[in-house]
Amino acid sequence: MTLNIRLFCFSICICISTICFGQGNALGLHVSTTEYVGGLNNNNFGDLYQFKFFAPGAGISLQQRLNASFNLVESAFYDKVQYKTPDKTLGVDADFFTLNLKLKYKFNNGYLLSEKAFFAPFLTLGAGGTYISSINSGTFQAPFAVNEFRTDFAGGAGAVIRFSEKFYLEYAATFHQPVYDGWDGVTQGNRGMYLQHSLGLIFTLKQHEKKDSDGDGVKDSRDNCPETPAGTKVDFWGCPVGLKSNDDDSDGVRNRYDECPNTPRGTPVNDRGCPVTPPVVRSNDDDGDGVKNRYDECPNTPPGTKVDEKGCPEKVYTNDYSTTTTAPPVDGDDDGDGVPNSRDMCPRTPRGQAVNYYGCPAADNGDNDGDGVPNSIDKCPYTYGSSSNFGCPEVREESKKRLDFATHGIYFETGKATIKPLSYAVLNDIVTILQEYKDYHVRLAGHTDAIGSDANNFQLSDARVISVKNYFVSKGVDAYRFETRGFGETRPVASNATVEGRAENRRVEIQLFLK
């Protein structure tokens, strides 16, 4: 008896500790009834679900979520078990006060059924202690009275019907096997058991905040990237190393809320971290050529260009190869139009043809953006650009670095093309770049690791780049600018034999190019 008392007390301690310190708790209130199986009915399981001797009971339970598949369940029940033989010569009338600790296996674990399935079966197995009070009720003729603390083993099955995240209905059928032969009056090695039917209303309790939801070593209260994939190296703020975390542009708006995370330092911003557009204030010399705006007849001269007193590019005049020019030739002038070869974009202009600063015919379709590159060869005819880049603005090094970083800053649901919210800050950063370089087209290339079949990886990489494209389009980027292609696992940049290597291979490359 001493061992059973200790086990009973130990179960009580476990239940109290889990109630006080458990996380993810659910409280259950139950009603129950029982059916007897044992020596008095020759272990006839066919008598079950007949409910010939109905006796009500009640109980309370507490559940803790261990993981997607298992819960820990503590339960305390009062049950009455009654049975009498057909001739009414023998019978049992017993009260059970039972405390059990059970492990619950859930079929709605995300593998077999959805975790939020409306109907979800489960299995339970556990042990605990029970106090048995079996007495002669007067109606039944129990051979003798019993008052014992005993070990109790329990196992069963059931199902839940989920009404909401807050509460659900649970039915369970649980066999209880007290480790004691004599409670039903039959002591010839034929232990009696009973089947407990319970119906309970389960309420989810307020959960304690997990200290580190994504297991990256950074507490949730400080974690700016609370869904970082397992194994990813993170910085002080819980974000992947290299990912902008707290307030990198120092505008007073933390990155998780900053819709314009690369605002130049000192720029006034609104509550979304985007610049408040100041009034345009022109300087005395906007193009920096040394000629004040009021006298500058060419106010958009490219930086570094030599200009005359009117602020326009200094010209080199010549009649033919034998005459003396007003300025010495620079790097040669093969077509003799006064424009040195290093700057001449039309090096075979007929002699005598009037040319512009870049050595092309002055009437060559005009120059809409005033950058000195004629429309006929200007790939960005409405955007001021550089002659060395076909009249388009050069992509700044900072923008190139941000595009390169985004390659590994876009995360998807495992095995799916669904973009994780963790990626939105990086994607919004890229949107600002695409809007800045609106004349450039965008090439999206999707890559996967070597996990899974080749065909599935090709399909997955295709679907993921389409998801990225659709995100950009939803933010106002024109759809015609994109070229998308998935390469699957065919172009790895690291070994697929390691976790780190596979992470490097899972990427979406973003490249700007001119057509």
Side-chain angles (χ1 to χ4, degrees), residues 80-118:
K80 180 178 281 293
V81 180
Q82 294 181 332
Y83 181 79
K84 61 181 176 180
T85 59
D87 59 6
K88 299 183 180 180
T89 58
L90 296 175
V92 61
D93 184 356
D95 295 325
F96 285 85
F97 300 88
T98 306
L99 193 64
N100 284 118
L101 183 65
K102 292 173 284 190
L103 196 62
K104 178 180 183 179
Y105 177 77
K106 302 171 292 182
F107 287 83
N108 59 324
N109 52 14
Y111 302 102
L112 303 176
L113 295 173
S114 167
E115 289 192 51
K116 296 183 179 180
F118 173 72

Side-chain angles (χ1 to χ4, degrees), residues 176-195:
H176 286 266
Q177 175 66 77
V179 184
Y180 178 52
D181 287 350
W183 71 269
D184 59 353
V186 180
T187 58
Q188 288 78 29
N190 199 345
R191 290 178 176 172
M193 68 174 68
Y194 64 92
L195 177 62

Side-chain angles (χ1 to χ4, degrees), residues 65-333:
R65 184 182 188 276
L66 301 180
N67 54 41
S69 297
F70 291 98
N71 281 7
L72 188 66
V73 183
E74 305 84 28
S75 61
F77 271 87
Y78 162 74
D79 287 298
K80 180 178 281 293
V81 180
Q82 294 181 332
Y83 181 79
K84 61 181 176 180
T85 59
D87 59 6
K88 299 183 180 180
T89 58
L90 296 175
V92 61
D93 184 356
D95 295 325
F96 285 85
F97 300 88
T98 306
L99 193 64
N100 284 118
L101 183 65
K102 292 173 284 190
L103 196 62
K104 178 180 183 179
Y105 177 77
K106 302 171 292 182
F107 287 83
N108 59 324
N109 52 14
Y111 302 102
L112 303 176
L113 295 173
S114 167
E115 289 192 51
K116 296 183 179 180
F118 173 72
F119 178 83
F122 61 84
L123 301 174
T124 60
L125 184 65
T130 184
Y131 175 75
I132 308 170
S133 178
S134 179
I135 61 174
N136 188 333
S137 66
T139 302
F140 301 152
Q141 299 177 9
F144 51 85
V146 173
N147 290 281
E148 293 282 348
F149 281 110
R150 294 290 176 174
T151 301
D152 178 73
F153 292 103
V160 299
I161 297 177
R162 188 180 304 276
F163 297 109
S164 73
E165 292 296 323
K166 297 295 184 181
F167 67 95
Y168 52 92
L169 192 67
E170 178 184 277
Y171 166 75
T174 307
F175 279 102
H176 286 266
Q177 175 66 77
V179 184
Y180 178 52
D181 287 350
W183 71 269
D184 59 353
V186 180
T187 58
Q188 288 78 29
N190 199 345
R191 290 178 176 172
M193 68 174 68
Y194 64 92
L195 177 62
Q196 176 199 65
H197 302 275
S198 65
L199 187 66
L201 194 59
I202 312 299
F203 301 89
T204 57
L205 305 179
K206 183 178 179 180
Q207 298 185 8
H208 301 291
E209 181 186 358
K210 294 182 178 180
K211 292 184 178 180
D212 183 11
S213 302
D214 53 8
D216 61 359
V218 179
K219 292 182 179 180
D220 289 350
S221 58
R222 174 161 51 88
D223 200 332
N224 283 348
C225 301
E227 297 180 357
T228 306
T232 304
K233 293 182 179 179
V234 299
D235 58 18
F236 178 79
W237 297 104
C239 291
V241 173
L243 182 66
K244 298 178 183 295
S245 56
N246 190 25
D247 181 16
D248 292 309
D249 54 6
S250 300
D251 60 0
V253 181
R254 298 179 74 178
N255 287 333
R256 65 166 68 181
Y257 310 113
D258 199 333
E259 295 180 8
C260 303
N262 296 292
T263 307
R265 294 180 184 273
T267 304
V269 298
N270 57 23
D271 56 358
R272 299 188 305 277
C274 291
V276 177
T277 305
V280 176
V281 179
R282 298 183 63 84
S283 65
N284 289 330
D285 180 15
D286 288 336
D287 56 5
D289 60 0
V291 180
K292 292 184 178 181
N293 292 334
R294 66 172 65 187
Y295 308 114
D296 199 334
E297 296 182 7
C298 301
N300 296 303
T301 307
T305 303
K306 292 183 178 181
V307 298
D308 57 22
E309 67 279 358
K310 296 181 180 180
C312 293
E314 185 181 280
K315 298 180 180 178
V316 178
Y317 297 98
T318 185
N319 293 323
D320 53 44
Y321 287 108
S322 62
T323 60
T324 303
T325 60
T326 56
V330 180
D331 192 27
D333 180 14

Side-chain angles (χ1 to χ4, degrees), residues 417 446-448 456-468 484-488:
H447 305 271
T448 68
N456 286 341
N457 285 336
F458 269 111
Q459 292 176 358
L460 181 60
S461 60
D462 267 327
R464 284 180 170 176
V465 292
I466 293 298
S467 292
V468 174
T484 61
R485 183 178 177 185
F487 292 92

